[in-house]
Amino acid sequence: MKRSTSYSNTEMQTAVRWLLRWAMMLCILAVGNMQLWAQGRSIPTSSSVQAEVEERSMSDDELPEGVTHRYPFFNGMSVSFNLFPPIMNVFGKDYGYYEGGLTVDLHHRFFPQVHAGTGYCNAENDDFVRYHSKAMPFFKAGMLYNFKYNDLKPNDFYGAFVRFGYAFSKADVSNMYYTDAIWDKIGPFTIEDMKFNSVWMELGGFIKVEIVKHISLGWDLSFKPFLHKGDVKQGSPYYVPGYGTTTSNIGFAFHVYYDL
């Protein structure tokens, strides 16, 4: 016996509204911070006189009077890859995802970033119920905040971050049974093509350490509450690409960065 589900436009619209709402809030916060940055000064580098000020400030712990940031507004970019999910696959995990990111360095204090990737699941529980989800894309956007933004050693630092994630996934659940009052045990049956739109937040802390020139390693630990889990009438998603299994709301990542 099989059951099928049709795609729900209402689910998609609800998830998109959640994503747009939180993205708008993030943009408002970013604009507010831009106004605050404008009130202070970073070390200018456009003239020989200012270059001398920069050289002096880079060698002293204290910044020149009126200078609020040691590093320029645009301080470079980096690309990254999350190594933790592939490592877990080596140890036998039957789900996982691949994630890459782009991060922009502003004053070495604020790090807006975007992440994208694809995730899959082919799991089976102790009752031999199988949950299968083909590889589907996910997207994340957020910002890191460096607590040591004026430090003389800029390549080793730590801070906090917030990200928002969105994923669309499809799943089949098979080899299920249920007990009927008259007919006793009935099955197996399958629920096919369940569609989920999920939106979540990631709040946590991170550490980034330079290994060699241009290459760094980073670790982050996060709390991941769902803003919209994307439940359908047949049930909830067991696995969300980019999030992981929904049985845990704690996340860990291990990134390798290449600083451009």
Side-chain angles (χ1 to χ4, degrees), residues 205-218:
F206 73 93
I207 298 173
K208 185 180 178 183
V209 177
E210 185 179 61
I211 304 303
V212 296
K213 188 176 181 180
H214 296 299
I215 298 179
S216 301
L217 296 180

Side-chain angles (χ1 to χ4, degrees), residues 25 52 76 119 238:
M25 291 180 63
E52 182 180 349
Y238 167 71

